[in-house]
Amino acid sequence: MGQLALNNLSKSYGANHVLQDISLSVKEGEFVSIVGPSGSGKSTIFQLIGGLYTPDAGTISLDGKVLNDSRGHISYMPQSPALFPWRTVLQNVELSSEIAGTKFDRSKTMELIKSAGLSGFEDAYPSELSGGMKQRVSFIRSLNAPQSIICLDEPFSALDEFTRLEMQQWLLSIWETYKKSILFITHDIDEALFLSDRIVVLSDKPAVVKEELIVPFGRPRSEELLLSDPFLTLKREIYNLLRG
């Protein structure tokens, strides 16, 4: 499964009112992105989903089960790869299974490493990898976790433009193979349009959902899409929503 629903979430930290009546969903096997101004509460949404904080109002549910203030139900990939430097690529990927207490499936792990183009690097340490390679390890670690939904928090923001596009294309190819549900945070409109099935646009804080757009482009997607007229038209629409 992997159907996530947020219903009328609100959250404040003292006088800092961050979220107001946020409702959104991710269907099974769907790729949904959240865009919004800096400081609009995008990461706070992930912290609530992950059970790090409790919403002041509203519910978070996965496959119909309410998860408020409950941990261990999502797989999370932060902005930095967050790899343990003393563990090899193989050991870092298998960490998600260790934490979840699930049985190791070495053949699945090796297949994920191969799919990431990292065959031959199983015994390499993070210090021996490029930035893009580290992000691949971090993502396949998330895929290797037993949870049915992955939350990605601007995972490519530190990469240069060309490496970032390469990673986006790679992410799509892997996602289309494994079809886990993904909720993706980004401040990059191009990235959201290139990757997503739907895009949720937030206002400045206290954040509300300003608009939810269905991305009309078929899959698979190539980089030529980025300069097409329909893509640029939708990009302007989202840009104006964020500005307005």
Side-chain angles (χ1 to χ4, degrees):
M1 300 293 284
Q3 299 186 58
L4 178 72
L6 314 184
N7 293 298
N8 303 113
L9 283 191
S10 294
K11 181 64 181 176
S12 297
Y13 300 99
N16 183 16
H17 191 186
V18 182
L19 303 175
Q20 180 63 46
D21 292 328
I22 296 289
S23 293
L24 61 89
S25 65
V26 183
K27 299 172 186 175
E28 183 176 356
E30 191 177 27
F31 199 125
V32 176
S33 288
I34 300 173
V35 298
S38 295
S40 62
K42 298 185 294 296
S43 293
T44 297
I45 291 173
F46 275 10
Q47 291 165 352
L48 295 174
I49 295 171
L52 299 178
Y53 298 102
T54 304
D56 299 332
T59 59
I60 303 157
S61 60
L62 181 62
D63 299 327
K65 179 182 178 181
V66 175
L67 301 182
N68 290 30
D69 202 25
S70 178
R71 302 184 185 184
H73 298 280
I74 64 165
S75 180
Y76 173 70
M77 180 179 169
Q79 293 181 28
S80 62
L83 304 178
F84 286 134
W86 60 87
R87 296 180 69 121
T88 64
V89 167
L90 177 62
Q91 291 167 341
N92 268 292
V93 174
E94 289 185 333
L95 181 64
S96 53
S97 296
E98 287 181 38
I99 291 172
T102 56
K103 186 178 180 180
F104 282 82
D105 184 343
R106 181 58 57 84
S107 62
K108 177 189 174 186
T109 305
M110 296 300 288
E111 182 60 33
L112 282 169
I113 290 173
K114 180 181 178 181
S115 72
L118 294 169
S119 293
F121 289 90
E122 295 87 353
D123 297 323
Y125 291 91
S127 61
E128 303 173 78
L129 307 178
S130 68
M133 293 168 76
K134 291 176 186 176
Q135 290 296 76
R136 292 183 186 212
V137 175
S138 183
F139 181 67
I140 60 175
R141 179 178 59 191
S142 299
L143 271 179
N144 199 45
Q147 291 88 351
S148 58
I149 187 160
I150 303 174
C151 291
L152 305 178
D153 190 353
E154 299 194 59
F156 307 140
S157 59
L159 301 177
D160 66 77
E161 183 177 354
F162 293 107
T163 304
R164 184 176 182 138
L165 178 57
E166 178 186 319
M167 288 299 300
Q168 291 166 0
Q169 292 171 314
W170 173 81
L171 173 59
L172 279 184
S173 70
I174 296 296
W175 171 75
E176 286 167 359
T177 299
Y178 291 93
K179 281 290 187 178
K180 281 203 174 184
S181 308
I182 290 181
L183 186 59
F184 189 94
I185 285 176
T186 181
H187 64 273
D188 188 301
I189 299 173
D190 283 11
E191 183 168 69
L193 283 169
F194 188 65
L195 294 174
S196 310
D197 295 311
R198 285 187 294 119
I199 298 173
V200 177
V201 182
L202 299 184
S203 70
D204 204 352
K205 66 181 182 182
V208 299
V209 175
K210 292 188 74 172
E211 193 78 50
E212 186 176 304
L213 300 101
I214 295 173
V215 179
F217 312 122
R219 300 184 185 276
R221 295 174 185 169
S222 65
E223 60 185 283
E224 287 75 20
L225 175 65
L226 297 167
L227 296 176
S228 69
D229 288 340
F231 187 97
L232 294 173
T233 297
L234 198 48
K235 179 179 178 178
R236 280 192 293 271
E237 181 180 344
I238 295 172
Y239 177 80
N240 289 332
L241 282 168
L242 292 171
R243 292 263 300 181

